[in-house]
Amino acid sequence: MVSDRLDYVWWTKTALIERLRALDADIKSLEDDRRLADTTTTTTTTTAGDGGGASSSQPPPLPQKKKLDRRIDPSKYSTRLVAFKLAYLGKNYGGFEFSTHASAPSIEEELWNAFVKSCLIFPENPEVVNWESWEYSKCGRTDRGVSAFGQVIAVRVRSNRPLESKEKSPAETEEGGEDGKEAQAEQDTSPEQARKPDREFNDHLDELPYCRMLNKLLPPDIRMLAWCPTTPEDFSARYDCRERQYRYFFTQPAFSPLPHDIENPEATKVTKIKSGWLDIAAMREAAKKFEGVHDFRNFCRTDHAKPNIKFERRVYESDIVEVPDAETGLPFLDRDQFRPQGLVDKSQKVPSVYYFHVRGTAFLWHQIRCMVAVLFMVGQGLEDPSIVDRLLDIEAEPRRPNYALADEVPLVLWDCLFPRGEAPPERHDAIKWAYLGEDNPLDQHGVGGLLSHAWEHWRDRKMDELLSAQLLNVVATQPDISLRRDPKAPAYARPSTRMCEGANRERAIGRYQSLLKRQRLPSPEESFDKEARRRGYASAVEWREAQARRKAEHEAKTAEAGADWPTLEARAESLALDEGEE
C-alpha cells in the first residue's frame, strides 16, 4: 500500500497541498529538534567546564495532549445506493470528470473531497480519487467550462438505517478515512440512536441530511439540490437515463454592432444582415431540422480511440427560445444607427436573451457546440438553413467541413430524465426526488440556506452586469463620432467578416468561405484506420475484432464470478451510448 499512497499522479489537488504542508511541517520540526540538540550539547559542555555548577539547561517540554481518534467506525453503519441531483457553474472547472492531467480542478474532485470529509464514504486512500468501491455512476460528462443544473450521480453512501443481524456493510473492509473533524454532530449519531424503536425507519426524519451535509463542504458554485430516498439497488445514472436536455444561451445582438455610418458596404454583401445581429427566425428554421433520428458525424468531434462509436442519435426537440424578462438596459442600441432594418421590432427591448433548446437520448462529443456553431452561421446570414439538411446527408457529405466550435461557457446540461415505460417525446422523470427545503423550509430560505447562497452568487454577478452596462452606455454615448477631426481616418471599417461563436466578443475572419467550399476533415473510418496502425493493427477492422475478443473473455470471467457487468453493458448497447458526451 505504500507504493499506492506515493503515487501522487492520482491524488487530488487538495490532498497534494495538504501533503506539501505536512512535509514542510516535518522539515521545520526536524530543524527545531536539531537546533535544540545543538543548544543542549553546548549547555552541557559549558556546565562541565564550570566545575559542576548550577545547571542552566532548559526545563523539559510539557507533555502534549493525545489527539482523540474521532474517526467513524464504518462497521457500525449500513449503506445504501443514493441518487443525487446537483447543479454547478463550470466556468472555473476543467470539466466534470476527474483527470490527472487537468490544469484546473474538476467537479468530481470536489465531490470526492466532500463525500470523504463528510464520512459518507470510507476509502482506503482518501487522497486518491477512486469511486470503484462505491457503485458510482454519472449521467453526463460535461466538458471544461460547461455548467449543469440537473446533473445526476449515484453513490453508495453511509446510512442511518439500522443494520440487520446478518448484514455486513460494504465499507466494513475499508480502513480509516478522514479524521471526521468536518463531520457535524448529527453524523456521529449511531443508527440505533437516530430513530425511535417504536416505529419504522423514516427516510425524511431519520436519515442523514445528505444534501445539507455535502453543501457545507462543497464550493459555493457546486450545490446539491436533491436526493432520491427510493433509489433502486440496480440504478445507474448513466445507463438508466433516457433523456438529456441541454440549453445554449446567447444574446441578441450577439456582439456590439457598428453604426451605419462606418459599416463597410462590402461586409453587408457577405452577411446580408447587419453585423452583430442574428436572424432568429432563420436559426429556428435550421434548428427544427435536427429533430428526428440522424447521423450526426458532421456535427461532432471524432474520438480516434473509440472505433466502435455510433453516430446515429435521436433528437426529440430542437428549438430557439427567448428568455422572458432577461433584457439589460442598453439605451444606445435603440438608436437607428445601431438597429437592423426590418429584423427586430422597434418595440422590442434589446439586448434580449435566447437559448438553443435540445432534448435527446444521448449526444456525441461536442455535438451541441457544433450544432450551435452552424446555427450562428445561419443566424448571421452566412449560410442558408438548408445547410443543416446537407450536413445531415452523410452520403453527400461523408466528411465534416472544418469549422470552429461554439464557445463552451454558455452551454448548460439543463436536466436528465429517467422515465419508466413512457413513449417519447412526451416523457416525465419517474425518480421521486426529495429536494432540499421540502423537509425543512429553512434549508431553502433560512440563513445559509440553498436560496441564500444562490442569491449571493447571483447578486455578485448582477452588480458586475449593472456596472458593466452603465459603463458601456457611457462609452457609447459620450463621443460624437460624426466630428471626424482626423482627416486621415478611414471612411468605413474594414470589410472583414465578424463571426459570432458564442464568446464574449466576435472574431474577425477576413473573407468568409462557405462551409461546402471548406477543407474537409478525415472521415471517422479514416481516423480509426490511422489510429489502428499507430497501435500496431493492420486496420480499424482488425482493431475492432481484437476488442470484441477481449470483451468476450471479460464477459466470460464476469459471468463465472457472478457479477452484473453484462447487464450494464446490455443497457449501453440498447441505448447505443458512447463515452463522448458534451
Side-chain angles (χ1 to χ4, degrees), residues 64-78:
Q64 295 182 354
K65 290 185 178 181
K66 186 178 180 180
K67 289 186 178 180
L68 297 177
D69 188 0
R70 301 180 61 188
R71 291 178 298 181
I72 294 177
D73 184 0
S75 64
K76 296 181 179 180
Y77 289 85
S78 63

Side-chain angles (χ1 to χ4, degrees), residues 446-458:
V447 177
L450 183 62
L451 190 68
S452 299
H453 282 287
W455 178 276
E456 180 183 2
H457 197 276
W458 168 81

Side-chain angles (χ1 to χ4, degrees), residues 194-465:
R195 70 179 185 92
K196 297 180 180 180
D198 58 344
R199 61 178 173 84
E200 294 184 357
F201 185 86
N202 187 301
D203 287 319
H204 301 284
L205 300 179
D206 303 326
E207 189 54 281
L208 294 170
Y210 292 121
C211 293
R212 193 169 74 239
M213 290 165 57
L214 292 169
N215 283 338
K216 290 180 179 180
L217 300 170
L218 287 168
D221 48 6
I222 304 177
R223 296 287 92 181
M224 284 291 177
L225 304 179
W227 72 289
C228 178
T230 57
T231 306
E233 282 298 313
D234 62 344
F235 177 79
S236 170
R238 179 188 175 197
Y239 297 128
D240 288 335
C241 181
R242 294 296 187 270
E243 181 177 316
R244 294 165 174 84
Q245 300 178 5
Y246 282 88
R247 294 185 181 183
Y248 191 100
F249 291 85
F250 59 93
T251 60
Q252 169 77 318
F255 53 85
S256 178
L258 293 174
H260 290 306
D261 293 342
I262 64 173
E263 193 169 18
N264 198 304
E266 297 297 324
T268 55
K269 293 180 181 179
V270 178
T271 61
K272 303 177 184 178
I273 296 175
K274 182 173 176 59
S275 179
W277 295 86
L278 299 171
D279 187 341
I280 301 298
M283 294 179 68
R284 184 172 289 115
E285 178 184 351
K288 286 296 181 182
K289 297 179 182 294
F290 290 123
E291 296 180 349
V293 179
H294 302 285
D295 189 308
F296 285 94
R297 66 183 61 203
N298 289 325
F299 292 93
C300 71
R301 290 182 63 180
T302 302
D303 190 343
H304 305 161
K306 296 171 184 173
N308 295 310
I309 189 172
K310 299 177 182 179
F311 295 96
E312 194 173 86
R313 291 291 185 273
R314 179 186 295 275
V315 174
Y316 298 129
E317 183 181 5
S318 177
D319 201 0
I320 303 295
V321 183
E322 183 176 5
V323 180
D325 304 323
E327 62 275 351
T328 301
L330 294 177
F332 82 93
L333 290 177
D334 293 330
R335 300 179 182 178
D336 293 336
Q337 283 278 357
F338 295 94
R339 284 263 184 170
Q341 297 180 356
L343 187 63
V344 179
D345 190 89
K346 290 187 176 181
S347 61
Q348 181 179 354
K349 294 182 179 180
V350 291
S352 50
V353 179
Y354 291 82
Y355 62 86
F356 170 54
H357 175 63
V358 59
R359 299 166 44 228
T361 52
F363 296 91
L364 297 163
W365 189 22
H366 291 165
Q367 177 182 339
I368 296 174
R369 291 170 61 189
C370 287
M371 295 163 71
V372 173
V374 174
L375 291 180
F376 280 149
M377 298 177 199
V378 173
Q380 294 175 93
L382 300 171
E383 299 287 348
D384 190 79
S386 61
I387 189 63
V388 175
D389 294 321
R390 179 76 178 190
L391 294 178
L392 289 175
D393 186 356
I394 61 171
E395 294 184 359
E397 298 295 334
R399 296 175 177 84
R400 199 197 96 180
N402 189 12
Y403 60 86
L405 302 177
D407 191 71
E408 69 275 5
V409 174
L411 180 59
V412 179
L413 173 58
W414 193 259
D415 205 359
C416 302
L417 300 186
F418 300 82
R420 295 288 178 90
E422 294 186 19
E426 295 299 329
R427 290 185 165 188
H428 302 281
D429 198 353
I431 292 186
K432 297 179 180 179
W433 294 107
Y435 286 92
L436 190 63
E438 291 180 346
D439 293 337
N440 183 353
L442 294 181
D443 291 340
Q444 173 81 349
H445 296 282
V447 177
L450 183 62
L451 190 68
S452 299
H453 282 287
W455 178 276
E456 180 183 2
H457 197 276
W458 168 81
R459 192 183 184 282
D460 183 29
R461 272 65 180 175
K462 189 64 177 179
M463 287 299 106
D464 290 341
E465 177 193 353

Side-chain angles (χ1 to χ4, degrees), residues 6-23:
L6 295 180
D7 188 5
Y8 296 125
V9 174
W10 297 100
W11 283 38
T12 65
K13 179 181 178 182
T14 303
L16 288 173
I17 293 175
E18 292 297 327
R19 179 63 173 164
L20 288 174
R21 288 174 176 169
L23 292 175

